[in-house]
């Protein structure tokens, strides 16, 4: 355990530490100001830690990801975003376990970060084409279930499934998918908040996720090219 913690704390730049601390403080302070409930605050902070640690290529991202997954599923259920609930319970929970195992086998021993890769062009086209087709089909299912914003919920879910697979495979292209997921979820939770919802921490979490995804796409692209 001590070795694991030492590895997770290794090779952090001052700017990266500053971003991690700043993001958590923003979520915490604004959530307290808006009187967010404790579940929403813990979910959001664990989610922030997860995505920043994922961008850093650290194994502990999956530990915080599991905490975020369980709590966020509960929040989404209360808001009737059933696509988000199913995504987190039936997909993210097992994928957190799979991701932890696969990443642990592909750690750069010099910097204790996961080794980054990029997809070939033909696979990029195939993945994006299949994803958009799945969005339409799953949206029809969610509409029949009576879910709120079924096609936006569907797009968020499908893109997130794809992004998580790419994440487990250590592909830089995951961040493009995460950018799309974050934009969609910001829209979904902004609508929820405008209608009287109290999930401000969740909305803030997705906003920070978007900023993080843009930065991490640049980071992973550079590092995958330099290997």
């Amino acid at each position: 355990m001590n070795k694991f913690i030492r590895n997770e704390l290794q090779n952090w730049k001052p700017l990266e530490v500053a971003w991690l601390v700043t993001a958590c403080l923003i979520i915490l302070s604004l959530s307290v100001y808006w009187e967010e409930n404790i579940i929403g605050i813990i979910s959001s902070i664990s989610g922030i830690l997860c995505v920043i640690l994922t961008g850093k290529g650290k194994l502990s991202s999956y530990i915080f990801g599991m905490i975020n997954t369980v709590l966020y599923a509960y929040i989404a259920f209360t808001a009737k975003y059933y696509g988000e609930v199913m995504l987190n319970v039936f997909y993210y929970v097992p994928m957190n376990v799979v991701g932890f195992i696969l990443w642990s086998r592909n750690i750069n021993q010099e910097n204790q970060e996961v080794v980054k890769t990029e997809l070939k062009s033909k696979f990029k086209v195939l993945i994006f084409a299949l994803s958009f087709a799945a969005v339409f089909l799953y949206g029809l299912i969610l509409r029949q279930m009576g879910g709120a914003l079924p096609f936006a919920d569907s797009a968020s879910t499908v893109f997130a499934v794809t992004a998580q697979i790419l994440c487990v495979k250590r592909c830089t292209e995951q961040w493009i998918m995460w950018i799309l997921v974050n934009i969609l979820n910001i829209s979904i939770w902004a609508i929820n908040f405008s209608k009287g919802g109290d999930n401000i921490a969740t909305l803030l979490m997705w906003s920070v996720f978007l900023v993080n995804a843009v930065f991490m796409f640049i980071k992973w692209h550079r590092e995958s090219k330099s290997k």
Side-chain angles (χ1 to χ4, degrees), residues 35-46:
E35 299 181 347
E36 171 67 282
N37 61 71
I38 188 64
I39 293 178
I41 294 175
I42 296 174
S43 171
S44 298
I45 291 179
S46 61

Side-chain angles (χ1 to χ4, degrees), residues 169-187:
K169 298 294 290 183
R170 302 173 286 111
C171 298
T172 299
E173 291 75 15
Q174 66 166 300
W175 297 108
I176 298 175
M177 284 292 181
W178 287 129
I179 289 171
L180 295 175
V181 171
N182 296 333
I183 291 173
L184 286 163
N185 277 296
I186 288 171
S187 301

Side-chain angles (χ1 to χ4, degrees), residues 83-84 87 126-144 148-163 177 180-181 184 188:
E84 289 290 284
L87 171 68
L126 178 62
I127 287 173
F128 277 88
L130 291 175
S131 295
F132 279 99
V135 166
F136 177 73
L137 295 175
Y138 191 38
L140 294 177
I141 295 173
L142 293 179
R143 186 170 64 180
Q144 290 297 317
L149 303 174
F151 287 97
D153 195 6
S154 170
S156 173
T157 302
V158 170
F159 292 152
V161 167
T162 306
M177 284 292 181
L180 295 175
V181 171
L184 286 163
I188 289 173

Side-chain angles (χ1 to χ4, degrees), residues 19-36:
W19 168 235
L20 178 64
V21 173
T22 299
C24 289
L25 287 178
I26 289 173
I27 294 293
L28 181 60
S29 58
L30 291 180
S31 296
V32 171
Y33 176 79
W34 286 97
E35 299 181 347
E36 171 67 282

Side-chain angles (χ1 to χ4, degrees), residues 51 70 72 98 137 149 162 173 187 200 204 221:
V51 297
V70 174
Y72 181 72
V98 173
L137 295 175
L149 303 174
T162 306
E173 291 75 15
S187 301
I200 185 63
L204 294 171
H221 179 69

Side-chain angles (χ1 to χ4, degrees), residues 65-77:
M66 185 66 80
I67 297 172
N68 173 257
T69 293
V70 174
L71 295 181
Y72 181 72
Y74 171 78
I75 294 171
F77 180 79

